Amino acid sequence: MSEHYNVVVAGGGLAGLTCAAYCARAGAKVLLCEKNAKTGGLVNTFFHNGFAFDAGIRAFEDSGVIHPMLSALRLDLPLVQNKVAIGIGGDWVRLRDKSSLGDYAALLKAHFSDEIKNIDRIILEIETVMRYMDVLYGIENPLFLDEQMHDPKYLTKTLLPWLAKYTVNMKKASRLSEPVGRYLRKFTDSQPLIDMICQHFFTDTPTFFALSYFGLYLDYHYPLGGTGMLAERLTQRFQSLGGEVRLNTPVKKIFPDKQQAVLEGSSVSYDSLVWAADQTALYDAVRFSRSSPPGGQQRELIKKSEGINSVLSLFIGTNLPPEYFGDICGAHAFYTPTATGLSALPRWQDAADDGEPALEDWLRRYLASTTYEISIPALRDNSLAPDGKTGLIVSTLFDYHLTRRYVKAGTYDRFKALCSEQIFNTLEQTILPSLRKHVEFSFCGTPLTIERETGNRNGAITGWAFTNSPLPAVNRFRKIKHAVDTPFIDIYQCGHWTFSPAGLPVAIMTGKLAADAITTRQTNKGGTA
């Protein structure tokens, strides 16, 4: 007879861990199944030769979510402020506070001197979005303030006034839903200028989400010990609440009619199940005895949809001290080598039509022009590299399908070597001369690496692509409560495949929402949690 759990959570990323911890705190018997050897998903840190590298997210934006979640679950996780820099060519801006937006404007004007008035208009739009953000994140998210929600003073003096402002500002923000590249054409005809702003973001990122990042950069924090410490602490807290974790244990099949889940080598029964992984895999896992199971429309929509952009990363260990990089780009930077803009390139598919040499030339040009995220863990925590040495993570947005093309051609290793060489060339020709002389090792991670390690379709890092129409996920904050619903009885979902636009705060929020839905349902049924 299979073992019974009140809640089974499939997926040990931050959404699944959040859901599991809150369900366990409510008194439920909870099993969390993770297909990999450790929890965390895209929030994890690994070590190589004594150097720490963050494999997924490089820092956290609080967004009124992470700090109250840590407090509510009593998690001890020391965080340091994560300063961000933005660079174009040899020019840099260090984001310190809201006044730094003027420095960012000056950076753009230095490279686009004939667009000064248009840049001023764009900066005004960013300031407007930042004011919306001040309201939206003006208090800690009430979703995580269970105790305060029973305090009449908090409700009348803090929550209700905030809700009134929140409603007004969300209506204004919802009008900024068109792709940011298209929106910026209202202010300038300069495609290179638009590229300098948009190359930070995923394809067709909604305007509000994109322009809000200049405020979110000021809200970035980094955990001592690496980003993976958040998952580690949350896993420990879940287990201290009586939760059970099974690693290397994927959920292979789900039988909703029987409330049964088939694991690796065993099966369990449940009252509620939460899918906290790739939504595609959920619809592959469910099994029904009847010929017309629920969820057919969503299943078809998922089949037609694409995951969001993936990432190509170069992990580098050097014998240079952290201070060397601190003087150049700082601990966390977004760097564009040239102001030419990626729109000057043809599509890679068109280049491929002219043969492999043309495609390789396109790849080199792309890696010479794209925007890079450069992260240096040891500049936030000097214990994350050997004394006097520094590890770098250099990443850029990248097309999964281009990577897959090289795999099919049998030239995947050559592709990784070419990418590594060009990234080194780009860095040495711009901000880090003679870098390779100081490199002890380097290795390349691709969209296929992310797909293999996380199970995320297309190696996507935050769920569904904005190019999908319609989106296979809820995409209005006023409807986020319904993001956790599925067509299947007693099965819920959470994570970045369930709401768009996504990110770490959204993953945590949907995990808490799924836990709340389960707790409410079980309470109404007279059960536990």
Side-chain angles (χ1 to χ4, degrees), residues 14-16 18-20 22 484 494-495 506-516:
L14 264 293
T18 301
C19 179
Y22 274 98
V484 303
C494 62
V506 162
I508 291 172
M509 285 179 66
T510 57
K512 176 62 162 58
L513 286 166
D516 288 349

Side-chain angles (χ1 to χ4, degrees), residues 46 311-316 367 394 398 403 412-421 423-424 441-450 452:
F46 68 93
V311 169
L312 178 83
S313 298
L314 189 62
F315 300 91
I316 307 169
L367 294 173
V394 183
F398 206 80
T403 313
Y412 182 54
D413 288 341
R414 173 176 169 77
F415 158 75
K416 290 197 293 183
L418 189 154
C419 290
S420 300
E421 177 189 15
I423 292 172
F424 274 121
F441 64 85
S442 67
F443 50 91
C444 182
T446 75
L448 264 70
T449 310
I450 296 173
R452 182 185 69 243

Side-chain angles (χ1 to χ4, degrees), residues 266-403:
S266 65
S267 64
V268 297
S269 61
Y270 60 82
D271 296 321
S272 299
L273 183 141
V274 181
W275 193 265
D278 189 328
Q279 197 175 134
T280 306
L282 168 62
Y283 286 81
D284 289 340
V286 290
R287 299 287 192 277
F288 282 89
S289 55
R290 57 182 184 266
S291 58
S292 298
Q297 184 176 359
Q298 179 69 1
R299 186 190 301 268
E300 290 304 312
L301 179 58
I302 287 172
K303 285 182 180 179
K304 298 175 183 177
S305 300
E306 288 281 323
I308 207 163
N309 307 69
S310 192
V311 169
L312 178 83
S313 298
L314 189 62
F315 300 91
I316 307 169
T318 77
N319 59 20
L320 291 165
E323 296 76 19
Y324 174 82
F325 299 96
D327 293 338
I328 297 171
C329 58
H332 194 178
F334 293 87
Y335 175 65
T336 311
T338 171
T340 304
L342 288 174
S343 294
L345 293 177
R347 298 187 319 140
W348 70 260
Q349 294 90 338
D350 295 332
D353 288 340
D354 294 328
E356 290 306 309
L359 181 57
E360 290 193 359
D361 179 65
W362 181 94
L363 188 56
R364 290 188 179 92
R365 292 171 62 194
Y366 177 85
L367 294 173
S369 306
T370 188
T371 296
Y372 290 97
E373 181 176 11
I374 303 174
S375 178
I376 303 176
L379 278 172
R380 290 96 143 197
D381 179 352
N382 59 17
S383 71
L384 297 180
D387 288 345
K389 298 183 178 183
T390 310
L392 291 77
I393 312 160
V394 183
S395 306
T396 186
L397 297 175
F398 206 80
D399 192 323
Y400 168 86
H401 297 289
L402 174 54
T403 313

Side-chain angles (χ1 to χ4, degrees), residues 154-215:
Y154 170 79
L155 294 176
T156 57
K157 299 292 186 180
T158 301
L159 183 59
L160 290 178
W162 174 78
L163 281 173
K165 295 178 183 178
Y166 176 87
T167 301
V168 171
N169 280 271
M170 277 306 300
K171 287 181 179 178
K172 294 178 180 178
S174 66
R175 300 186 189 118
L176 300 174
S177 59
E178 68 180 297
V180 64
R182 186 193 309 163
Y183 185 80
L184 291 177
R185 292 190 190 104
K186 298 176 182 178
F187 305 95
T188 178
D189 293 326
S190 172
Q191 189 58 50
L193 171 59
I194 293 173
D195 286 349
M196 287 305 97
I197 299 171
C198 293
Q199 283 178 201
H200 288 240
F201 312 117
F202 303 113
T203 304
D204 285 356
T205 295
T207 298
F208 173 72
F209 190 55
L211 299 188
S212 71
Y213 256 86
F214 294 93

